[in-house]
Amino acid sequence: MNLTRRLLLGATVVIVAMVAAIVLIAGRRLRDHLRAETVQDLTRSARIVAVLWRAGQNPDSLADAAGAALDRRVTLIRGDGQVLGDSRFTPRELLGLENHSRRPEVMAARDSGMGEASRTSASEGDDELYVAVRHPLGFVRVAISLDTLNGVVNAAQRDVLAAGLVGLLGALLLAALFARGVSRPVVELRDVARAVADGDLTRRPHLNAPGEIGDLSAAVHRMTEQLAGRLAALQAEEDLMHATIEALDEGIVVADARNQVVRLNQSARRMLAAPDPVPFPADRLPPVRALREALRGALGGASADAAEVELEGRILLLVARPLPGGGAVLALQDLTARRRLENVRREFVANASHELKTPLTVVSGFAETLTDPDLTPDDRRRFSAMIRSNAQRMQRIVDDLLDLSRYESGGWKPEPRPVDLRQTAAEVLGNLDRAAGEKGLTLARELPGDAAVVRADPVALRQILANLAENAVRYTPAGTVTLFAAREGAGVRVGVRDTGIGIAPEHLDRIFERFYRVDPARSREGGGTGLGLAIVKHLAEAHGGSVRAESRVGAGSTISVWLPDDAVAAVE
Ligand code: ADP
């Protein structure tokens, strides 16, 4: 039942009880009062009749006359109780009336001069009020029907009841207004409190309710404001923390004391391949022993030393720490790339050392031999030449290594500008004229007008073409080496085509790796360092371009780079 109804019901019960009490109490008092008045009135009438009653007079006629005059029933009773006259009965009927000496009012009058009684009349059959006074000749009794008295009382009670009902209606109306006045703000407060409890902090109660409800309303208003403020601050803090954790390259996993993962950043999801939304049981993390043990230990309050874990081909460094309030945090660092880089570096150092070792051995060996005073001038010349050629080879390797490290250091950026390919081709091929001539190779160029100018760093472009052309001459025993350019998409493809030994398919993808050679001996013999194509690839990619190698064993190779027209945009 809502508040308005309860208030109304309470008011109704109170008012009904009050009206009932008024009706009952007022009715009784009125009745008592009226009866006392009537008794007095009847006493006076009886005394008047007593004054008129004389001996020798016809008592019945007196009773009739007095009864008619007083509009009351008048009875004259002899001292022994015999009824001598009665205004309601004829003289004949009087004879049939019983002796009245035992009537209570008569007995009281005999004792004290006056008596009263009310009862159902034996002779009349209705309720009557009797008053009797003593008289020398007997008793004078005057009676009135109680119906009259009751009628007055009932009418009065009806009036009180009617007034009570009108009062009740009025009171109910007021109570209803009051109840609504009280309940409306209370109901509103309830709704606001519910909404706030459900998380809607935009709801506020109206502040115009009167009295204590108004105070309550203002307090709820203030409370909601504060709550909203604190929640907003908390949310901002949470957002900041979320953004911070998400920004980390490290994977972060937080588990609570019940072994549930409650927070997991994007890096951790990627490393652990855990797609579930949090929270989820920590058992659903990958079943790697070190991971489980670290988590279990941290949940038990122990910090574990950093451990390396291998997970689906990744190497992860794992650190677990207990949280102060129970629970644990795991930090995961992906070492895969670093380890790969370390491997590449190690391999590179090994390769470079190996490359330099052979010529160094040769140089030091021949240098020692040269100290022999018995050497013939011819041998001396031959050995000096060997020393020189190996020193040159080392020089080339060191130069290429320096170039590569310069390009890869990140400090170098191409400075693209329009370069005339015809001029670059002339320079590059010009430098190879002698070597090609010695092998009887033809050097050709195919530079159509629309591809004669490319946007590239001039020095880098010259190095690309020189490396490709040198390779072509080196690996082509006979035939033609052609430097070509052609438009392709939003750029130009430039490269060198030869009719040489070709490259088997299984090597094609790898020839751009540092120190990768299909045939190391042949490469060294021709003065190759194994770094030329690695440099080409790096330079092309620095321009936003790419490399391509096509070849058929025995038929020749075409190795080219594609450079975009907007090389500046691509590198910036
Ligand atoms: P190198 O200095 O040994 O030539 P590169 O990096 O320039 O090193 O080339 C890598 C390897 O690719 C070479 O050793 C060779 O085996 C192969 N290669 C490159 N260009 C050609 C070509 N035009 N024809 C055949 N093989 C080639």
Side-chain angles (χ1 to χ4, degrees), residues 471-472 474-475 498 501-503 511 516-519 523 528-534 557 559:
N471 278 353
R474 191 176 300 140
Y475 302 109
D498 62 53
I501 59 169
I503 306 162
I511 55 171
Y516 189 85
R517 294 161 163 128
V518 176
D519 179 351
S523 157
T529 61
L531 294 169
L533 288 184
S557 315
I559 303 185

Side-chain angles (χ1 to χ4, degrees), residues 277-321:
V278 288
F280 61 83
D283 300 341
R284 276 203 238 146
L285 290 174
V288 178
R289 236 184 76 200
L291 182 88
R292 295 278 167 98
E293 273 173 11
L295 186 61
R296 200 173 315 128
L299 283 174
S303 299
D305 288 339
E308 273 187 30
V309 181
E310 221 187 303
L311 193 71
E312 293 181 10
R314 287 175 185 275
I315 301 159
L316 304 179
L317 185 72
L318 183 95
V319 180
R321 295 267 178 278

Side-chain angles (χ1 to χ4, degrees), residues 7-31:
L7 284 172
L8 273 181
L9 192 72
T12 311
V13 168
V14 169
I15 294 167
V16 166
M18 271 171 58
V19 169
I22 289 172
V23 167
L24 285 177
I25 294 167
R28 167 159 307 172
R29 294 199 63 173
L30 187 63
R31 190 186 300 276

Side-chain angles (χ1 to χ4, degrees), residues 400 467-476 496-498 500-503 507 510-520 522-524 527-536 551 556-559:
D400 276 0
N467 284 2
L468 295 182
E470 275 168 25
N471 278 353
V473 170
R474 191 176 300 140
Y475 302 109
T476 305
V496 177
R497 191 164 54 233
D498 62 53
I501 59 169
I503 306 162
H507 299 294
R510 302 198 58 189
I511 55 171
F512 294 100
E513 288 173 20
R514 291 181 287 196
F515 292 120
Y516 189 85
R517 294 161 163 128
V518 176
D519 179 351
R522 186 172 198 146
S523 157
R524 282 192 199 108
T529 61
L531 294 169
L533 288 184
I535 293 174
V536 168
S551 183
S557 315
T558 303
I559 303 185

Side-chain angles (χ1 to χ4, degrees), residues 28 148 150 159 276 283 344 373 384 432 474 509 539:
R28 167 159 307 172
T148 323
N150 288 339
D159 287 349
D276 311 76
D283 300 341
V344 169
S384 297
L432 287 170
R474 191 176 300 140
D509 283 346
L539 290 177

Side-chain angles (χ1 to χ4, degrees), residues 400-415:
D400 276 0
L401 279 176
L402 284 176
D403 279 348
L404 200 59
S405 80
R406 186 161 62 91
Y407 295 142
E408 287 187 349
S409 68
W412 179 81
K413 288 245 159 57
E415 286 171 22

